[in-house]
DNA sequence: CAGTGGTCTAGACCACTGA
DNA sequence: CAGTGGTCTAGACCACTGC
């Protein structure tokens, strides 16, 4: 219910039914309109507040925010889903899909023993035909087994894994910047040494075990990672926009 | 109450009273222990879940997560507060503090008219004596008036503004990578052209008007921006770690 | 099966804001 | 002052999990 409400509110803002800069309906009004108690209405509104679409309150009139971030998609996890949600056409070219024995880095980041089997997938990712990201994914064998049966040129590995019922619970991201190596530069069509945005991701399952890690290299300017940050309140929401 | 609870839970994990990888108490148990209803207990737990400190649930036993991110401080907004929270000593050297007329970029990003007064503060920021960030902040005049009375070498501009009662409501961040210019390279003690992490921030007040924008350039390796991302659920939390 | 978290209801009191 | 969101209570039903 509350997520249905949130979608409804978002579309009302997008359609101009709730004009930007004007007052938004109060919680009480929305409760009456939908015949719901405050719980789900508050939950939906807090999502929109976290997204920065509604501001004010606590005595102040609630306002639909001017100049809100648009198309702040959520997941850094799925390139394909993000690209489609942003209205672009995703593509990929697979550089490597292999089963190998864990080296020191893989053993440490996946928390497996040296020499345990791991699966690596390396792909250049395209947006509307233009290379925007170099993706280096590494899977522990439980997931890797499934990944070896996947055609990496067919699109979203994430939806494939989700369809397999894989247990992907949460990701930790660390962002920094690196200079492009000669190989990366060639694949991404930039100059060697030019700055790339590196997103290092570690994904765990619902019992906290590491199941995947990745180092994704984004070409700056073509894509950017964005997120909202409520000051004096921990509500946040992140996303990426082309 | 719920924030007090969240702090209590965090310290129990930090102290080992709730050992990592073991079962965490269920909501029902915590309700009994603290004599509270489910509301505040759930609110506190959802914060820890968003931080990745607790995983599982929905039938599965709740677990204290192994290898949780540590010191995932919240605000990209205040360098000083973040540095201190991370156990480091912040410092700064002011390069510029000026009142000027808005150029095209400032007018657009602050949504003021060309030529309106704006205040610029540019500072090199240090962590334990080492330069880690080049900060370029720009304020609309309402806030800028206050900023001109601030000694930028004294530390946190944010706490100064907060003490003045400034209305800072939410920030939007956009992250990409750029090559260091000669000036920036010299100030940050890196080579010209080496990659820097650029965080572009826009801060609005509680009625949605832009009050500040900033372009902060971080030296990679010394600091990194991190955040958690619950898959199949929009709960997130971001932070930065040295 | 009992236990888990996810969700919803229908009340309540508070601090704060704007008129 | 009336209206706002922030918070808490004390119930309830559900889908899912592990035993």
């Amino acid at each position: 219910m509350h997520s249905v409400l949130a979608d409804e509110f978002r579309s009302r803002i997008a359609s101009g039914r709730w004009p930007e800069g004007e007052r938004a309906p109060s919680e009480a009004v929305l409760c009456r309109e939908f015949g719901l108690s405050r719980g789900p209405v508050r939950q939906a509104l807090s999502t929109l507040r976290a997204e920065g679409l509604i501001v004010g309150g606590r005595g102040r009139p609630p306002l639909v925010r001017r100049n809100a971030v648009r198309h702040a998609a959520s997941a850094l996890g799925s390139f394909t889903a993000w690209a489609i949600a942003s209205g672009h056409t995703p593509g990929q070219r697979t550089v490597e899909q292999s089963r190998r024995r864990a080296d020191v880095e893989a053993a440490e980041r996946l928390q497996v023993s040296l020499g345990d089997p791991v699966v690596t997938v390396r792909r250049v990712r395209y947006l509307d035909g233009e290379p925007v990201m170099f993706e280096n994914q590494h899977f522990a064998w439980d997931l890797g087994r499934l990944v070896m049966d996947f055609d990496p040129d067919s699109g979203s590995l994430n939806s494939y894994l989700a369809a397999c019922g894989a247990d992907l619970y949460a990701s930790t991201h660390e962002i920094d910047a690196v200079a492009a190596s000669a190989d990366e530069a060639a694949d991404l069509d930039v100059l060697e040494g030019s700055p790339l945005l590196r997103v290092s991701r570690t994904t765990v399952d619902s019992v906290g075990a590491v199941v995947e890690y990745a180092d994704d290299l984004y070409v700056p300017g073509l894509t950017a990672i964005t997120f909202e940050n409520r000051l004096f309140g921990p509500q946040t929401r992140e996303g990426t926009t082309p």
Side-chain angles (χ1 to χ4, degrees), chain A:
Chain A
M1 189 68 244
H2 66 90
S3 58
V4 178
L5 273 185
D7 288 343
E8 169 67 18
F9 296 165
R10 274 193 214 94
S11 82
R12 288 188 179 185
I13 293 173
S15 72
R17 181 164 164 191
W18 290 357
E20 296 189 27
E22 304 275 305
R23 280 189 71 129
S26 72
E27 291 179 359
V29 170
L30 292 168
C31 290
R32 281 194 290 274
E33 177 183 345
F34 292 91
L36 295 167
S37 66
R38 268 183 88 194
V41 170
R42 275 182 61 73
Q43 206 166 346
L45 284 177
S46 87
T47 304
L48 270 76
R49 285 175 179 276
E51 291 171 16
L53 291 169
I54 291 182
V55 296
R58 228 187 312 219
R60 295 188 182 86
L63 296 177
V64 177
R65 173 151 150 216
R66 295 172 287 178
N67 314 105
V69 192
R70 303 198 177 278
H71 303 293
S74 62
L76 270 174
S78 174
F79 180 86
T80 305
W82 160 66
I84 293 172
S86 308
H88 293 79
T89 307
Q92 54 272 318
R93 181 171 65 80
T94 303
V95 175
E96 175 184 353
Q97 178 183 29
S98 64
R99 178 185 187 279
R100 48 166 71 177
R101 303 200 164 278
D103 57 14
V104 175
E105 187 194 356
E108 182 169 325
R109 292 192 59 180
L110 286 176
Q111 301 187 274
V112 297
S113 301
L114 216 63
D116 279 1
V118 300
V119 171
T120 296
V121 176
R122 307 205 305 143
R123 297 187 286 180
V124 182
R125 298 301 217 123
Y126 298 83
L127 221 47
D128 302 326
E130 215 172 351
V132 298
M133 193 256 279
F134 197 102
E135 183 181 52
N136 297 284
Q137 284 182 289
H138 309 270
F139 299 87
W141 182 242
D142 274 0
L143 244 70
R145 229 180 38 228
L146 304 171
V147 173
M148 286 306 284
D149 296 330
F150 171 73
D151 172 11
D153 287 313
S154 71
S156 177
L157 217 171
N158 274 68
S159 15
Y160 169 76
L161 289 175
C164 292
D167 179 15
L168 303 172
Y169 184 79
S171 293
T172 303
H173 303 267
E174 186 173 309
I175 304 176
D176 63 356
V178 296
S181 73
D183 285 352
E184 292 155 2
D187 278 324
L188 292 174
D189 198 20
V190 298
L191 293 176
E192 182 176 350
S194 69
L196 298 175
L197 197 62
R198 177 170 63 185
V199 178
S200 301
R201 176 176 68 245
T202 302
T203 304
V204 299
D205 62 18
S206 59
V207 301
V210 179
V211 293
E212 182 237 6
Y213 81 92
D215 280 330
D216 296 342
L217 302 170
Y218 290 84
V219 179
L222 303 178
T223 64
I225 295 167
T226 65
F227 61 95
E228 272 278 324
N229 189 12
R230 281 265 294 280
L231 274 21
F232 310 116
Q235 301 270 24
T236 59
R237 179 182 179 80
E238 89 303 334
T240 55
T241 56

